[in-house]
Amino acid sequence: MSSLPPLPSAADLRRQVEFSSADGRIWLAGQRMLLMHAASLGTLRRELIKSLGPAAARRLLLRVGYASGERDAALARQLRADADMFSLFAVGPQLHMLEGAVQVTPEQLDLDVAAGQFHGVFRWDHSWEVETQLRDFGPQHEPVCWTLLGYASGYTSAFMGRPVLYKEVACAACGHAHCRIEGRPVSDWPDGEQLASDYAAQALALDPSGSAVGAWPAAIPADDQPETPVDALGPLIGHAPGFAAATQLLRKAAGTQVTVLLTGETGTGKERFARALHALSPRAAKPFVAVNCAALPGELIESELFGTEKGAYTGADAARAGRFERAHGGTLFLDELGELSLPAQAKLLRVLQDGQVERLGSSQARHVDVRLVAATHVDLMQAVRAGRFRQDLYYRINVYPIRIPPLREREGDIEPIAQYLLQRFTRLHDKHVKGFADRALHALRSHGWPGNVREMENLVERGVILASAGQPMQVEHLFPDGAQPPGAMPAHTLEASGRLREAQAPPADHADLVERMLASQLGLATLEETLIEQAVQRSRGNLAAAARLLGLTRPQLSYRLNKIRGERR
């Protein structure tokens, strides 16, 4: 492409920047950002160079920039899905400028995503890395824009779907008038393997001389790690104090025969705990049998638990073993124990005392060797006082209680659980979703979780289905019905001038709204532009959602947006 058009308007990108001063967060299209002093980053850069040496510091900063570019690449198709290829690719350079890193001027760009072809040349001015390098170390003989170079490589590689790396062929720190970079696919560079090695993780373990430098241990030594409770669905995830205390109690009980009572709200994972207890116990090779007492009609609970003999009642055409007999040698899990009828409670107590069951219609006792684990979300002592639960059974069951805390008491565990569920459901549905947007994680942490982990499972699975392949999951994918607001509206937004504008909440009363609009003497065109901008901002760039807010079709909104942006150029 010999003659490039000017970069498109960055108004759509500015609308993605939200300053929420009330809670100390800055957002860029759902990703949390930081506004830092360039001098403080320069101090970090200087210390890395002095501590690790220039070569190792360069490799580290290349990778830091690469990770930032990868994240911004996910925004291109999200924000400019209908744009031409040049405007689509320009999201990266424009975001790099909006983030204050460098001024970017495209000089040459030939790209064909389908064919995997790319060649780009860009001029850089006002590089923050040039400024800090010259201040700290003076003129240089080698290019110094390391994080910027990594950003360009990470952005283009993610955009193209194949490794594309850049070289800094001119640098203002070396006396050139401008910095200039050139990018090609790794396979098109004669020294492509060497370029790629700069981004390899193992490169950071060496100093410039090739000697090993100190590194963090990969993991705690195996002998020092407690055995992780695990079942067929994987490990129990969490390090919150209440959860850690519950898993410690679980490990202590695993090697014994003690009856365990799991308590906690619905959806906290009581059956997962029961299965993990069985998996850690000497009975792991024997059956694990689960019974949901609340899901069985009262007249069937006894036959399900204790079995029936042929002819015990109408329709009993054959003898059938109950759950106790089927769990012989293993573990029987009774979920929602508080829902058992009083007659069934009496028989359960006898089994616990004698280790024997009698099938319905039989007078012959059968010995069973079963480890009982019970679970309930109700207060059994309160049920005892109300006469709904036998006191003697309560004391027999409540030998070793373990309380599983609700998710709202485990804020630090929410993200690792969500990440684990994301991996699980992306495999299940064979769909690649590129993690969670920072704002989506913030919404997960802020949610009240009345349904606990079970609710999270439902939200994440739905989010995997709604999210676009290869893109991060956004708030609206997790909470599409609006049940969970994405957080407080931003206190300020970014104007074209670079100044912040306070976001005003619209009044609820229509008459008052009309009066205020007339009193403000806003022109109709300005009012329409402001309304459209606010709708697009509230929808975080999703034009279909913004159109629904305005009562328009998506093509109508797109036409008005293009008209507004064209008038601003």
Side-chain angles (χ1 to χ4, degrees):
M1 187 180 296
S2 56
S3 178
L4 296 177
L7 290 172
S9 168
D12 56 339
L13 305 184
R14 288 196 303 273
R15 280 192 290 269
Q16 303 303 315
V17 182
E18 302 171 359
F19 290 80
S20 184
S21 53
D23 60 8
R25 293 181 173 94
I26 302 173
W27 302 101
L28 172 62
Q31 303 293 336
R32 186 171 182 179
M33 308 295 288
L34 297 176
L35 186 62
M36 296 184 65
H37 294 283
S40 67
L41 289 176
T43 299
L44 173 62
R45 177 189 171 93
R46 181 176 67 250
E47 293 301 319
L48 287 174
I49 292 173
K50 289 183 177 180
S51 301
L52 301 178
R58 175 180 178 273
R59 289 192 292 265
L60 175 59
L61 293 176
L62 280 172
R63 290 178 60 203
V64 170
Y66 192 99
S68 178
E70 277 189 310
R71 294 185 78 89
D72 279 356
L75 301 179
R77 289 178 174 81
Q78 175 187 332
L79 301 180
R80 291 180 179 168
D82 301 327
D84 61 88
M85 189 56 66
F86 177 77
S87 299
L88 197 62
F89 183 83
V91 168
Q94 290 183 294
L95 282 178
H96 219 184
M97 288 191 283
L98 189 62
E99 292 161 3
V102 69
Q103 180 185 3
V104 184
T105 304
E107 295 185 340
Q108 182 178 348
L109 183 61
D110 301 295
L111 66 89
D112 186 334
V113 175
Q117 298 175 357
F118 182 89
H119 180 222
V121 178
F122 300 86
R123 192 185 83 191
W124 282 345
D125 293 279
H126 315 304
S127 161
W128 78 269
E129 289 188 283
V130 166
E131 293 175 3
T132 190
Q133 188 80 10
L134 289 175
R135 181 178 64 244
D136 293 335
F137 299 103
Q140 301 292 301
H141 298 291
E142 299 291 336
V144 301
C145 299
W146 302 332
T147 58
L148 303 186
L149 195 68
Y151 178 98
S153 296
Y155 177 85
T156 307
S157 295
F159 186 91
M160 295 293 296
R162 63 175 301 190
V164 176
L165 300 181
Y166 285 80
K167 290 182 178 181
E168 190 172 4
V169 296
C171 183
C174 301
H176 299 106
H178 313 279
C179 299
R180 181 170 282 103
I181 62 170
E182 181 176 0
R184 299 177 185 272
V186 172
S187 57
D188 290 355
W189 286 111
D191 55 348
E193 291 187 6
Q194 176 60 43
L195 290 178
S197 69
D198 287 339
Y199 295 89
Q202 62 269 24
L204 298 184
L206 302 177
D207 66 13
S209 65
S211 303
V213 299
W216 295 105
I220 301 173
D223 293 343
D224 297 335
Q225 293 189 42
E227 188 174 6
T228 302
V230 64
D231 65 7
L233 295 178
L236 299 180
I237 299 171
H239 299 285
F243 189 81
T247 55
Q248 184 179 18
L249 288 172
L250 186 75
R251 284 191 293 268
K252 289 182 176 181
T256 72
Q257 303 303 316
V258 67
T259 298
V260 175
L261 176 63
L262 301 172
T263 63
E265 297 177 5
T266 298
T268 52
K270 294 186 285 294
E271 183 170 347
R272 291 292 310 278
F273 261 70
R275 290 183 180 275
L277 178 67
H278 175 72
L280 289 175
S281 76
R283 298 173 177 263
K286 298 295 184 178
F288 176 90
V289 178
V291 182
N292 187 339
C293 300
L296 294 173
E299 63 273 12
L300 294 181
I301 286 181
E302 292 186 44
S303 63
E304 282 293 323
L305 290 180
F306 311 117
T308 58
E309 288 290 354
K310 180 179 180 180
Y313 53 83
T314 303
D317 299 328
R320 185 167 62 87
R323 303 296 179 94
F324 268 96
E325 290 183 64
R326 283 182 252 171
H328 181 71
T331 303
L332 178 66
F333 174 57
L334 296 182
D335 198 7
E336 303 299 349
L337 180 69
E339 303 299 326
L340 275 181
S341 65
L342 289 172
Q345 291 177 30
K347 289 193 174 184
L348 176 60
L349 178 62
R350 180 179 176 185
V351 175
L352 294 179
Q353 290 174 334
D354 302 337
Q356 296 181 333
V357 296
E358 289 183 8
R359 295 180 180 179
L360 292 181
S362 172
S363 59
Q364 179 185 358
R366 287 175 166 82
H367 174 73
V368 289
D369 174 21
V370 170
R371 202 267 183 80
L372 184 70
V373 180
T376 181
H377 73 281
V378 301
D379 186 336
L380 288 183
M381 180 52 74
Q382 185 177 350
V384 169
R385 297 190 189 101
R388 299 191 307 272
F389 200 83
R390 292 178 61 104
Q391 187 175 32
D392 48 3
L393 178 59
Y394 171 75
Y395 289 121
R396 175 67 70 172
I397 290 290
N398 194 39
V399 179
Y400 195 87
I402 299 177
R403 176 185 177 268
I404 305 174
L407 203 51
R408 63 179 174 275
E409 296 179 11
R410 303 170 53 194
E411 182 177 340
D413 293 341
I414 288 175
E415 181 173 344
I417 293 174
Q419 298 287 4
Y420 173 80
L421 292 174
L422 178 64
Q423 294 177 12
R424 174 178 151 195
F425 289 122
T426 51
R427 287 194 302 266
L428 177 64
H429 298 291
D430 192 22
K431 182 178 181 181
H432 172 61
V433 176
K434 199 171 183 179
F436 295 92
D438 291 338
R439 196 154 198 170
L441 289 173
H442 171 57
L444 290 174
R445 288 189 290 265
S446 303
H447 189 51
W449 299 113
N452 292 294
V453 179
R454 185 177 296 127
E455 180 186 4
M456 184 185 285
E457 287 180 333
N458 295 338
L459 289 184
V460 174
E461 183 171 16
R462 178 172 60 186
V464 168
I465 295 170
L466 293 178
S468 300
Q471 299 294 316
M473 191 180 298
Q474 304 290 339
V475 175
E476 57 269 22
H477 301 142
L478 292 164
F479 304 97
D481 54 0
Q484 161 69 20
M489 287 299 295
H492 299 82
T493 55
L494 193 63
E495 293 183 321
S497 64
R499 296 184 179 275
L500 298 182
R501 178 180 62 189
E502 186 174 358
Q504 300 289 339
D509 183 75
H510 289 184
D512 183 45
L513 172 62
V514 172
E515 182 64 31
R516 289 182 61 180
M517 291 299 100
L518 292 176
S520 69
Q521 298 183 343
L522 283 175
L524 187 59
T526 303
L527 180 60
E528 178 185 13
E529 178 180 338
T530 303
L531 187 61
I532 288 175
E533 284 184 347
Q534 288 295 320
V536 173
Q537 173 189 316
R538 179 171 296 188
S539 303
R540 291 177 298 283
N542 187 321
L543 295 189
R548 286 194 295 271
L549 287 177
L550 296 169
L552 300 173
T553 65
R554 191 184 185 287
Q556 288 173 330
L557 176 60
S558 181
Y559 170 78
R560 285 170 167 79
L561 269 178
N562 289 335
K563 182 179 178 183
I564 291 171
R565 292 169 183 173
E567 291 172 351
R568 287 176 178 170
R569 292 178 182 173

